[in-house]
Amino acid sequence: MHAYNRDRFLAEESSGLQVLLVEDSEGDADLCRHYLEEGFGTRITILHATRVETAETLMRNHTVDVVLLDLGLPDSKGVATVAAIRSFAPDIPIVVLTGNRDAELGIQVIREHAQDFCAKQDLNATLLMHSIRHAIERHRLQTQYSRVLETSPDGVVVLSKDGTVLFANQMACTLLDLDPINSVGLPLPKKLRSSGNSEVTLSGQQVVEVRSVDVDWNSAPAALIVYRDITSRKRAELRLKELVQFDQLTGLASRTYFFDYLARQISSVDRKKYLLAMLFIDLDRFKYVNDTMGHDSGDELLCQVAKRLKSSVREEDFLARLGGDEFALILPSFSSPQEIAHVAEKLIHRFEAPFEVHGAEVTIGLSIGIATYPGSGTGVKALYRAADTAMYRAKEQGTNHFQFYADHMQDSVLNRIRIEQAVRKEVADDRFWFAFQPLVSAGDGATVGMEALIRWPEDSTLCLGPEEFIPVVEHIGLIGQVGRKVLRSAAAMAKVAMELTNVPVRVSVNVSMRQLYENHLGAEVEKVLKEFGLPADCLELELTESSIMGDPERAQRTLEEVRALGVTVAIDDFGTGYSSLSYLRRLPVDVLKIDQSFVQDIGHNQETEAILHSLVGLAHALKLKVVAEGVESQIQRDFLTDAGCDILQGFHICRPGTPAQITNWLRDHPPAL
Ligand code: C2E
Ligand code: CA
Ligand code: CA
């Protein structure tokens, strides 16, 4: 490479200046030399060449700060001479000496990247000195700009009006795959040209943002196009979109995406005037799998469920996971309700085959609610709610059912919401209270105990019985809180009764299914007994057969715990459930409460009467005490007493009353000592 030092441009004043004079005319050369020495004095060194070829050799062997160039040389003529020098000294400023004052020629030489020009006629020391300084400074600035352009992280291209490349920086060449040396003068592919702002995906999946502005390039109109690589930003955006749009576990569309899609579908239905169906799919027994087999198995099952659902629907149907074990399916077109029913039936059928989860066979069912647009509702929310409501209805019918939404369901949903809100409020305000209903000995009518029965606050806007609100309390997860209050109220009443009568009076407490499986029932009973200073025979727990059958082993363990404290256990509503009598034998219970429906049949149904007789006999054989509840008449009382029932409860004996009323009752009907 030529030995040329760029930094000398800046240091020219202090360390002297090397000028290469390329001039074949002896006279002109002398004149120039004269002016140069006059202008710069001893700080200047002059090299002289008479041909381009010699100039090249000199430049290879010497440091040159500026070239003074005549255009008419023996081996090169005119503007081409500038290009010839440029070709081996791209980085040295050039001042062209022209033979005349031709301004057009001046512009041409500048275009060929000379930095300045002077006409020989006008030449003098000052002009030459200014011209050289100007050229050096201009070159320095040009170098700086082009360095900035070259190192720019954005690709920069200057494009002529006819679409050929006039300039392309390094980044542009890399991004657009242009040849850094030969791209100038070649056309730029159409998709890379743009007016204004746009985004273009390049061959290597790179995404560039393209911005274009009009510029003047060498006095001609051109476009300056800037390409910014936004690939990583795009990727991040895409990933974010995916995270929002797709459920991470199953890969199905997410809840967000679902609502988005449904909204778009609804607006297109409006336009196309055809129907749309939404299926709300809820898994039955999923929670059980999740609880008993662990979350990993639960997740695995959900993935398999997603796969099976996906494989059961058409390509154009839209499937999403709404969360937990809830899925949704949108059928964007169908011709009849039968067709939707057919889809639902098919799904249910496909779920009859078991799944294999971590080596275990698992069978789960589906409950499907179906809503159609516009029939079931005219907005996204309305349609969703309708499908949800229908799903609840389907679930009520047992597993593997589907149900179309019907208008009247709306009322029951509103009702459910109203009740839930009211229950939440009354629990929060602790406004429930307890009535007590005495239990008497069939033989002598002496009080043997009483049952605590929860009551809704009387001044509430709604009027609900325990059979209506207890399931709601359970459903919204407040039964633990309410259950503790039942125990404490029963204990408080037992305390009052014991202080009044001087003997323990057993207060029975109804225990709901959830409470039974909440693990700490035994501990809670123990705590209450201790707190109120009561003997264990002051409390009895009542459970229904069906709640025990939910998980018999677990129920058995809890009941044994309770009985170990000395607290007795009764089976409530006996005869309505499905537990076999043989099973009864194994249950840790003390009392059988025969369901009211049997009692009601007395005098009307001989079969029931026969059953009552054998029930009592069997219970006694198992050493269980028998309570008959719902005794409303003397006839019933007599029959039950004759049949051998031990204890009676019912309106005929005493209606459930406030603690004060029952305290009075106790005064009149004291327990036998
Ligand atoms: P249950 O345990 O079978 O309670 C007996 C129900 O029969 C009570 O209804 C009682 O008022 C009613 N009853 C008593 N004698 C007669 C009668 O001679 N004829 C008629 N027709 N009915 C009679 P209630 O108080 O409405 O309670 C209904 C159910 O709500 C209870 O049935 C029980 O399952 C549940 N429950 C009540 N209190 C509680 C509680 O504190 N906790 C829980 N978990 N459930 C409760
Ligand atoms: Ca009961
Ligand atoms: Ca009962």
Side-chain angles (χ1 to χ4, degrees):
M1 248 348 253
H2 51 87
Y4 140 73
N5 179 356
R6 248 191 236 174
D7 297 337
R8 288 190 56 135
F9 291 152
L10 308 170
E12 163 251 310
E13 294 292 343
S14 53
S15 61
L17 188 72
Q18 308 260 37
V19 180
L20 169 62
L21 177 61
V22 189
E23 170 65 83
D24 62 333
S25 146
E26 203 53 47
D28 287 353
D30 283 346
L31 198 65
C32 282
R33 200 176 276 126
H34 171 73
Y35 288 145
L36 283 171
E37 279 162 0
E38 188 185 329
F40 291 98
T42 51
R43 288 179 287 117
I44 196 159
T45 313
I46 303 167
L47 303 167
H48 183 206
T50 53
R51 311 163 62 89
V52 171
E53 199 188 325
T54 357
E56 185 179 357
T57 318
L58 281 173
M59 287 172 100
R60 285 200 190 288
N61 300 316
H62 297 83
T63 304
V64 171
D65 295 323
V66 64
V67 177
L68 273 184
L69 182 66
D70 177 41
L71 294 185
L73 299 173
D75 54 353
S76 174
K77 295 269 181 288
V79 185
T81 314
V82 179
I85 298 289
R86 268 277 154 264
S87 68
F88 54 83
D91 283 329
I92 298 175
I94 299 172
V95 176
V96 169
L97 301 165
T98 57
N100 50 39
R101 295 194 189 100
D102 184 351
E104 190 50 43
L105 178 69
I107 289 168
Q108 268 184 345
V109 301
I110 296 280
R111 277 195 191 148
E112 283 301 321
H113 302 292
Q115 272 64 41
D116 205 358
F117 66 96
C118 353
K120 285 184 188 169
Q121 300 99 306
D122 304 332
L123 214 59
N124 60 47
T126 318
L127 181 66
L128 198 55
M129 196 167 76
H130 279 292
S131 216
I132 287 175
R133 289 231 169 99
H134 179 218
I136 290 172
E137 184 54 25
R138 188 167 176 169
H139 184 264
R140 190 179 66 80
L141 282 175
Q142 282 173 346
T143 314
Q144 220 169 51
Y145 292 148
S146 77
R147 250 194 265 169
V148 168
L149 261 187
E150 279 307 333
T151 51
S152 159
D154 290 339
V156 179
V157 168
V158 179
L159 210 61
S160 71
K161 275 285 158 208
D162 61 7
T164 55
V165 175
L166 297 172
F167 168 85
N169 75 350
Q170 224 171 325
M171 187 46 102
C173 294
T174 316
L175 274 177
L176 311 180
D177 203 18
L178 301 176
D179 181 336
I181 297 166
N182 297 318
S183 63
V184 172
L186 295 178
L188 190 71
K190 264 233 170 59
K191 89 172 209 188
L192 299 177
R193 300 180 213 166
S194 94
S195 48
N197 289 1
S198 63
E199 276 177 22
V200 175
T201 306
L202 304 174
S203 51
Q205 290 312 305
Q206 262 175 319
V207 186
V208 288
E209 182 183 78
V210 186
R211 273 171 303 161
S212 162
V213 284
D214 290 336
V215 290
D216 204 50
W217 183 262
N218 287 342
S219 323
L224 176 85
I225 310 181
V226 179
Y227 300 87
R228 175 162 295 176
D229 184 353
I230 52 167
T231 314
S232 50
R233 195 184 82 200
K234 279 277 148 189
R235 271 200 205 121
E237 279 174 9
L238 202 71
R239 176 87 189 113
L240 204 69
K241 209 166 149 191
E242 273 178 7
L243 280 178
V244 177
Q245 285 206 322
F246 295 98
D247 169 46
Q248 294 306 292
L249 179 66
T250 60
L252 295 183
S254 68
R255 189 182 178 83
T256 317
Y257 191 8
F258 165 79
F259 279 110
D260 205 50
Y261 180 86
L262 189 59
R264 269 184 289 134
Q265 256 346 84
I266 283 182
S267 62
S268 74
V269 165
D270 277 343
R271 270 183 275 119
K272 293 181 202 155
K273 295 234 178 303
Y274 61 63
L275 298 168
L276 173 95
M278 173 190 166
L279 276 68
F280 197 116
I281 304 167
D282 189 274
L283 306 185
D284 296 325
R285 273 173 56 83
F286 173 75
K287 203 179 141 18
Y288 175 79
V289 173
N290 213 36
D291 288 351
T292 54
M293 296 175 64
H295 291 292
D296 281 351
S297 297
D299 283 357
E300 169 63 25
L301 179 60
L302 284 174
C303 289
Q304 289 193 32
V305 164
K307 237 187 248 158
R308 196 176 283 185
L309 285 173
K310 186 108 205 147
S311 70
S312 313
V313 300
R314 296 172 304 180
E315 195 63 42
E316 67 260 37
D317 299 338
F318 183 89
L319 189 63
R321 178 171 174 229
L322 299 177
D325 58 351
E326 292 174 349
F327 296 83
L329 177 66
I330 297 174
L331 308 178
S333 64
F334 63 90
S335 52
S336 67
Q338 282 80 350
E339 204 181 311
I340 312 172
H342 180 70
V343 172
E345 269 165 359
K346 185 173 149 196
L347 288 176
I348 288 172
H349 176 68
R350 290 286 314 269
F351 274 71
E352 279 163 10
F355 290 91
E356 196 185 308
V357 179
H358 297 151
E361 269 201 359
V362 179
T363 308
I364 52 168
L366 302 179
S367 293
I368 303 177
I370 303 167
T372 55
Y373 178 88
S376 311
T378 49
V380 171
K381 286 248 169 72
L383 196 63
Y384 175 88
R385 247 185 276 123
D388 184 32
T389 306
M391 188 279 290
Y392 265 95
R393 271 303 148 89
K395 222 182 213 356
E396 279 168 15
Q397 297 166 39
T399 195
N400 288 337
H401 277 87
F402 66 89
Q403 173 76 52
F404 278 88
Y405 174 78
D407 264 345
H408 64 80
M409 290 179 186
Q410 199 55 40
D411 303 339
S412 71
V413 171
L414 284 178
N415 209 25
R416 197 177 77 205
I417 294 170
R418 251 189 34 231
I419 294 179
E420 274 186 22
Q421 280 170 347
V423 167
R424 271 181 218 285
K425 186 171 180 320
E426 302 302 0
V427 171
D429 296 350
D430 194 21
R431 297 212 315 139
F432 289 101
W433 65 279
F434 290 87
F436 295 90
Q437 185 178 32
L439 279 77
V440 299
S441 159
D444 59 9
T447 304
V448 292
M450 58 184 95
E451 179 176 2
L453 295 162
I454 194 164
R455 290 293 175 260
W456 183 262
E458 266 144 15
D459 57 350
S460 176
T461 46
L462 288 170
C463 175
L464 299 171
E467 262 145 328
E468 290 166 288
F469 66 76
I470 286 288
V472 178
V473 172
E474 286 202 322
H475 178 70
I476 60 181
L478 296 177
I479 195 68
Q481 197 177 331
V482 171
R484 276 187 290 279
K485 178 159 172 176
V486 184
L487 273 176
R488 295 175 57 81
S489 304
M493 187 66 199
K495 182 98 180 159
V496 169
M498 195 167 75
E499 276 165 5
L500 184 78
T501 61
N502 291 319
V503 285
V505 179
R506 182 172 284 131
V507 180
S508 308
V509 169
N510 293 289
V511 173
S512 79
M513 169 117 106
R514 284 272 172 96
Q515 274 174 290
L516 180 62
Y517 297 119
E518 259 175 8
N519 274 337
H520 30 252
L521 187 61
E524 250 158 37
V525 171
E526 190 177 11
K527 191 171 145 215
V528 168
L529 286 174
K530 208 175 266 166
E531 190 183 331
F532 284 83
L534 290 173
D537 55 1
C538 277
L539 281 183
E540 181 165 271
L541 302 188
E542 292 189 7
L543 293 124
T544 61
E545 288 169 89
S546 49
S547 59
I548 292 173
M549 295 314 283
D551 185 347
E553 270 104 72
R554 197 147 152 210
Q556 193 161 338
R557 260 179 279 135
T558 307
L559 295 185
E560 267 156 10
E561 228 176 276
V562 170
R563 284 178 91 226
L565 298 170
V567 171
T568 50
V569 174
I571 296 201
D572 207 353
D573 304 344
F574 187 80
T576 56
Y578 49 80
S579 66
S580 64
L581 291 173
S582 67
Y583 192 79
L584 199 62
R585 218 173 29 163
R586 291 196 275 144
L587 277 181
V589 296
D590 311 274
V591 178
L592 213 64
K593 287 188 89 167
I594 294 173
D595 190 65
Q596 303 190 9
S597 56
F598 290 93
V599 178
Q600 276 161 20
D601 274 1
I602 294 171
H604 309 293
N605 188 331
Q606 291 186 335
E607 215 170 284
T608 312
E609 288 175 0
I611 293 175
L612 270 174
H613 273 287
S614 56
L615 264 185
V616 175
L618 188 100
H620 283 164
L622 293 170
K623 304 210 162 38
L624 302 176
K625 280 231 152 56
V626 179
V627 178
E629 61 177 349
V631 183
E632 289 182 349
S633 67
Q634 188 62 42
I635 298 171
Q636 290 167 349
R637 184 174 187 160
D638 291 343
F639 178 93
L640 292 161
T641 309
D642 287 348
C645 281
D646 306 284
I647 297 163
L648 306 173
Q649 175 186 3
F651 293 172
H652 178 68
I653 292 127
C654 180
R655 288 189 174 256
T658 61
Q661 286 168 335
I662 300 307
T663 311
N664 280 336
W665 159 275
L666 276 174
R667 284 200 185 93
D668 299 338
H669 306 82
L673 286 175

